[in-house]
């Protein structure tokens, strides 16, 4: 039991690091335009390689996690992402910055297929632990805005990469010393049936998961990448300093942490279908609202949207945990996140092309269309019994 809790603690810490490091750049970019003599659209385009690597490298990471060692892969994650962040903070040219951001994406790709599979293997209550883990990941998103804003304001943009990089390496040392190599705990697994007792089509499940993952990935990445700039524009001069803006944006992200914790508890008691429908139903209207609201009014729909989009991530992870046998989970999580982060990489050229021409109005209306497709996927998802009901009949 102590080993299980120890593993889960480090996996949760790794989730914080993973999401925070992938979003340091969008939060720091407002303080980097002068240093690199590039405007916002040009600078944001430099992160494309990192997001492509974030998706593409999930596949080999998941395969290595299943065939080599999940513990060793997590060590590679901690030390690799920490060193890459330090390298990025030392960049003095655009090509060096591109390389650093790409390396961050390569090592960040390890976490989701390997770390999530480790979490599911050691968790006693999968729905609750996935929700708690998702909450920590969302806090990483919030910290990216909060901590980066504070560091940029006090010590300059380089510190926003270098200091978190040192922390990641320190956590890697702790993981190496406190988590021992051991066989992954085995869990019984039997194919789930529908609420009426019928056999569920795996083709249907994975088709829905693929569509929701792809469209949700674009929406998730485009919004988390543009929130700092969106809030800066819509709040005008109310929050001019980077640290104050970072606090406001991080509070909006923090609503996603509340969602993942509460949705994780709900998933243990109810069919996946109902939270999936409710969460996706709200996304398109909120994005439509964000396209047009101005001033203080941007904060409420901005926070509400983070609640529903992060809640959906918890539902998607629960699909894999409930439907896939343990020995395949790293690889299936890898496929899911490869598709999600691969699709999300398209958000970078989408932002670079649409934002200078049509502003955030045009961009968020396009994202509302993607969110509507995610809702269609939720409608056709089969109704399944809750995890608690499955445990009672196992």
């Amino acid at each position: 039991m102590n080993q299980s809790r120890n593993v889960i603690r480090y996996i949760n810490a790794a989730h914080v690091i993973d999401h925070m490091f992938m979003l340091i750049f969008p939060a720091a970019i407002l303080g980097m335009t002068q240093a690199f003599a590039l405007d916002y659209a040009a600078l944001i385009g430099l992160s494309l390689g990192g997001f492509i690597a974030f998706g593409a490298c999930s596949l080999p990471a998941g395969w290595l996690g299943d065939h080599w060692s999940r513990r060793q892969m997590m060590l590679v994650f901690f030390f690799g992402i920490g060193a890459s962040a330090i390298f990025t903070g030392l960049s003095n040219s655009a090509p060096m910055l591109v390389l650093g951001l790409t390396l961050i994406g390569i090592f960040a790709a390890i976490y989701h297929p390997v770390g999530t599979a480790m979490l599911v293997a050691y968790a006693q209550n999968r729905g609750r632990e996935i929700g708690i883990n998702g909450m920590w990941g969302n806090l990483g998103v919030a910290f990216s805005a909060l901590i980066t804003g504070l560091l940029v304001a006090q010590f300059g943009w380089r510190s926003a990469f270098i200091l978190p990089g040192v922390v990641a390496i320190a956590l890697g040392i702790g993981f190496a010393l406190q988590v021992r190599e051991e066989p992954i705990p085995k869990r019984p697994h039997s194919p789930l049936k529908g609420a009426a007792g019928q056999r569920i089509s795996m083709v249907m499940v994975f088709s829905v998961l693929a569509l929701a993952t792809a469209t949700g990935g674009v929406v998730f990445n485009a919004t988390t990448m543009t929130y700092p700039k969106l809030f800066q524009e819509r709040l005008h001069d109310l929050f001019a300093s980077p640290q104050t803006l970072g606090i406001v944006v991080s509070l909006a992200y923090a609503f996603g942490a509340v969602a993942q914790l509460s949705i994780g508890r709900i998933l243990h008691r109810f069919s996946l279908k109902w939270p999936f429908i409710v969460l996706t139903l709200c996304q398109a209207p909120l994005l439509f609202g964000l396209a047009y609201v101005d001033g203080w009014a941007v904060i409420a729909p901005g926070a509400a949207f983070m609640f529903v989009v992060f809640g959906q991530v918890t539902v998607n992870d629960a699909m894999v945990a409930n439907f896939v046998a343990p020995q395949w989970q790293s690889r299936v999580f890898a496929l899911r996140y490869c598709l999600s982060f691969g699709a999300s990489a398209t958000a970078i050229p989408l932002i670079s092309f649409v934002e200078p021409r049509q502003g955030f109005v045009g961009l968020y209306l396009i994202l509302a269309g993607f969110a509507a497709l995610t809702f269609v996927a939720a409608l056709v998802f089969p109704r399944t019994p809750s995890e608690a009901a499955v445990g009672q009949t196992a």
Side-chain angles (χ1 to χ4, degrees):
M1 181 59 70
N2 289 337
Q3 171 77 347
S4 295
R5 294 313 309 168
N6 209 26
V7 169
I8 289 172
R9 288 190 192 100
Y10 274 103
I11 293 300
N12 289 339
H15 205 187
V16 175
I17 287 173
D18 198 59
H19 283 289
M20 177 181 168
F21 280 45
M22 287 303 297
L23 291 173
I24 290 174
F25 181 63
I29 198 171
L30 301 176
M32 297 171 66
T33 53
Q34 188 172 6
F36 287 89
L38 295 170
D39 62 16
Y40 175 81
L43 264 180
I44 205 77
L46 300 182
S47 63
L48 178 59
F51 282 98
I52 291 174
F54 197 25
C57 294
S58 294
L59 288 173
W63 188 89
L64 286 168
D66 280 341
H67 284 84
W68 178 38
S69 164
R70 292 178 185 174
R71 176 184 178 275
Q72 297 297 334
M73 287 299 293
M74 289 306 299
L75 285 173
V76 173
F77 164 80
F78 281 116
F79 290 112
I81 202 168
S84 299
I86 293 170
F87 177 87
T88 304
L90 298 174
S91 299
N92 52 25
S93 66
M96 191 174 174
L97 183 62
V98 169
L99 177 59
L101 293 172
T102 302
L103 287 171
I104 289 175
I106 289 170
F107 290 106
I110 294 171
Y111 173 76
H112 285 94
V114 178
T116 310
M118 263 184 108
L119 175 83
V120 168
Y122 281 96
Q124 298 302 308
N125 181 325
R126 287 180 296 185
R128 184 187 66 192
E129 292 295 352
I130 287 173
I132 293 172
N133 177 257
M135 176 197 71
W136 285 109
N138 182 262
L139 288 176
V141 176
F143 290 159
S144 69
L146 178 63
I147 295 175
T148 301
L150 292 171
L151 289 175
V152 170
Q154 298 298 321
F155 306 108
W157 70 267
R158 295 183 187 278
S159 67
F161 290 95
I162 293 172
L163 294 180
V166 172
V167 171
I169 291 172
L171 281 170
I173 294 171
F175 184 84
L177 295 175
Q178 296 183 29
V179 176
R180 62 183 180 273
E181 187 76 69
E182 67 177 17
I184 297 296
K186 299 295 183 184
R187 301 178 61 105
H189 177 79
S190 57
L192 281 184
K193 294 184 178 181
Q198 78 278 17
R199 184 71 176 264
I200 293 176
S201 166
M202 288 297 100
V203 174
M204 169 66 77
V205 169
F206 287 110
S207 296
V208 170
L209 182 60
L211 177 59
T213 292
T215 55
V218 176
V219 172
F220 177 92
N221 201 37
T223 51
T224 52
M225 289 286 286
T226 56
Y227 257 37
K229 179 70 171 175
L230 174 74
F231 275 56
Q232 183 193 49
E233 283 192 6
R234 299 296 173 81
L235 292 171
H236 307 293
D237 296 326
L238 295 173
F239 300 112
S241 67
Q243 64 266 42
T244 310
L245 180 65
I247 291 170
V248 174
V249 174
S250 68
L251 287 174
Y253 290 154
F255 273 81
V258 176
Q260 292 185 301
L261 189 59
S262 56
I263 295 299
R265 295 181 184 278
I266 289 172
L267 293 182
H268 186 66
R269 299 181 177 90
F270 298 97
S271 167
L272 288 173
K273 183 178 180 74
W274 305 123
F276 193 16
I277 286 178
V278 172
L279 292 168
T280 54
L281 173 64
C282 298
Q283 290 182 23
L286 285 169
L287 285 165
F288 185 85
L290 283 169
Y292 293 104
V293 293
D294 196 28
W296 287 98
V298 74
I299 295 176
F305 181 76
M306 284 295 112
F307 184 96
V308 296
V309 78
F310 274 93
Q312 184 200 324
V313 172
T314 304
V315 173
N316 292 348
D317 281 341
M319 289 182 193
V320 179
N322 287 352
F323 285 103
V324 179
Q327 64 270 25
W328 287 89
Q329 282 177 352
S330 279
R331 278 163 283 186
V332 176
F333 275 121
L335 286 170
R336 160 166 150 53
Y337 283 103
C338 179
L339 180 59
S340 175
F341 297 137
S344 70
T346 65
I348 308 302
L350 180 67
I351 295 167
S352 296
F353 180 79
V354 176
E355 192 272 335
R357 294 165 175 81
Q358 300 178 27
F360 286 115
V361 173
L363 177 65
Y364 275 65
L365 289 178
I366 291 171
L367 295 179
F370 280 107
L373 289 175
T374 313
F375 175 64
V376 172
L379 287 176
V380 300
F381 185 72
R383 185 181 167 208
T384 61
S386 67
E387 184 182 334
V390 173
Q392 290 170 4
T393 59

